[in-house]
Amino acid sequence: MKKLFVMAVIAMVFTSSVKGQERVGTFSLIPKIGVSIANVSGDKVVVDDVKVLSMEGKYNARFIGGVEAEYQMLPTTSVSLGVAYVQQGCRFPDLVTGDPNDISEGLSKMRDKLDYIQCPLTVNQYVAEGLALKAGVQLGFLVKSNFSCNVTPITHHPDGAKEYGKTEKIEMDQKSVRRSMDISIPIGLSYEYLNVVLDARYHFGLARLYKDDSWPTEKNKFFTFTVGYKFNL
């Protein structure tokens, strides 16, 4: 009898630990903040009026902040609609252009910066208490786009010595040549504990970023890692 009582208690504890999420038909708000680890595929850098270099972009850490509204459709399934300001883009390795025997330029701290208002719609499937798998679709609306770098003139002397000139920072606004809307597929997971929500997603970019189809066929690709707090309404 004692063993049956202990087994019943264990069963009750286990059942309560894997109970459903919020009640069906309820809403929640989740303000969140975090980091975007972003890159751009298929990007190129124009180093003069003629020469175009294909360069592999590097992931760059930037900012994300926003809020999501979640609706509990079924005991273990919910849908979320969000809005977030997400800084994206990429960085490039340093580069030296020009004549190595005469005058060249050193390009450093090259950044392709793309800032969006992102609106994700996701379906959330809870597979354990607090743990959800996510997938959906996301529309992005371009807010800012610019390319920046530091340019340093380099004079090469016959004896092999190099003379470095004054470094100048250059910024170019590229919003006029970029598409105003982006679309991506977010997939990821989240974990909730005591109303604190940790969320990790990868976003597959589907749309080309330049208006002119003859330009580089670049697309966004980025991770987001956020922490939020869930307010049940």
Side-chain angles (χ1 to χ4, degrees), residues 73 77-80 121-125 133-136:
M73 294 175 54
T77 306
S78 69
V79 292
S80 297
L121 175 64
T122 62
V123 175
N124 315 305
Q125 182 62 43
L133 303 180
K134 301 171 176 284

Coordinates of all heavy atoms in Angstrom, one line a residue, residues 73 77-80 121-125 133-136:
M73 N -3.6 28.3 -29.1 CA -4.7 27.7 -29.9 C -5.1 26.4 -29.3 O -6.3 26.1 -29.2 CB -4.2 27.5 -31.3 CG -3.9 28.7 -32.1 SD -3.1 28.3 -33.7 CE -4.4 27.1 -34.3
T77 N -0.1 23.9 -28.6 CA 0.3 24.7 -29.8 C -0.2 26.1 -29.7 O -1.4 26.3 -29.3 CB -0.4 24.0 -31.0 OG1 -0.1 22.6 -31.1 CG2 0.0 24.7 -32.3
S78 N 0.6 27.0 -30.0 CA 0.3 28.4 -30.0 C 0.8 29.1 -31.3 O 1.6 28.5 -32.0 CB 0.9 29.1 -28.8 OG 2.3 29.2 -28.9
V79 N 0.3 30.3 -31.6 CA 0.8 31.1 -32.7 C 1.3 32.5 -32.1 O 0.7 33.0 -31.1 CB -0.2 31.3 -33.8 CG1 -0.6 30.0 -34.5 CG2 -1.5 32.0 -33.2
S80 N 2.3 33.0 -32.7 CA 2.9 34.3 -32.3 C 3.0 35.2 -33.4 O 3.4 34.8 -34.5 CB 4.3 34.1 -31.6 OG 4.2 33.3 -30.4
L121 N 5.7 35.7 -38.0 CA 4.6 35.0 -37.7 C 5.0 33.5 -37.5 O 5.5 32.9 -38.5 CB 3.5 35.1 -38.7 CG 2.2 34.2 -38.6 CD1 1.5 34.7 -37.3 CD2 1.3 34.3 -39.8
T122 N 4.9 33.0 -36.3 CA 5.4 31.6 -36.1 C 4.3 30.7 -35.4 O 3.4 31.2 -34.7 CB 6.6 31.6 -35.2 OG1 6.3 32.2 -33.9 CG2 7.8 32.4 -35.8
V123 N 4.5 29.5 -35.7 CA 3.7 28.4 -35.0 C 4.6 27.8 -33.9 O 5.8 27.5 -34.3 CB 3.1 27.4 -35.9 CG1 2.5 26.2 -35.1 CG2 2.2 28.0 -36.9
N124 N 4.2 27.7 -32.7 CA 5.0 27.2 -31.6 C 4.4 25.9 -31.1 O 3.3 25.8 -30.6 CB 5.0 28.2 -30.5 CG 5.3 29.6 -31.0 OD1 6.2 29.9 -31.7 ND2 4.3 30.5 -30.6
Q125 N 5.2 24.8 -31.2 CA 4.8 23.5 -30.7 C 5.5 23.1 -29.5 O 6.8 22.9 -29.5 CB 5.0 22.4 -31.8 CG 4.6 21.0 -31.4 CD 3.1 21.0 -31.2 OE1 2.3 21.5 -32.0 NE2 2.6 20.3 -30.2
L133 N 9.3 24.3 -30.0 CA 9.9 24.4 -31.4 C 9.1 25.4 -32.2 O 7.8 25.4 -32.1 CB 9.9 23.0 -32.0 CG 10.6 21.9 -31.3 CD1 10.5 20.6 -32.1 CD2 12.0 22.3 -31.0
K134 N 9.8 26.2 -33.0 CA 9.1 27.3 -33.7 C 9.5 27.3 -35.2 O 10.6 27.0 -35.6 CB 9.6 28.7 -33.2 CG 9.3 28.9 -31.7 CD 10.0 30.1 -31.2 CE 9.6 30.4 -29.7 NZ 8.2 30.9 -29.6
A135 N 8.5 27.6 -36.0 CA 8.7 27.8 -37.5 C 7.7 28.7 -38.0 O 6.5 28.8 -37.5 CB 8.7 26.5 -38.2
G136 N 8.0 29.5 -39.1 CA 7.0 30.4 -39.6 C 7.5 31.1 -40.8 O 8.4 30.7 -41.6

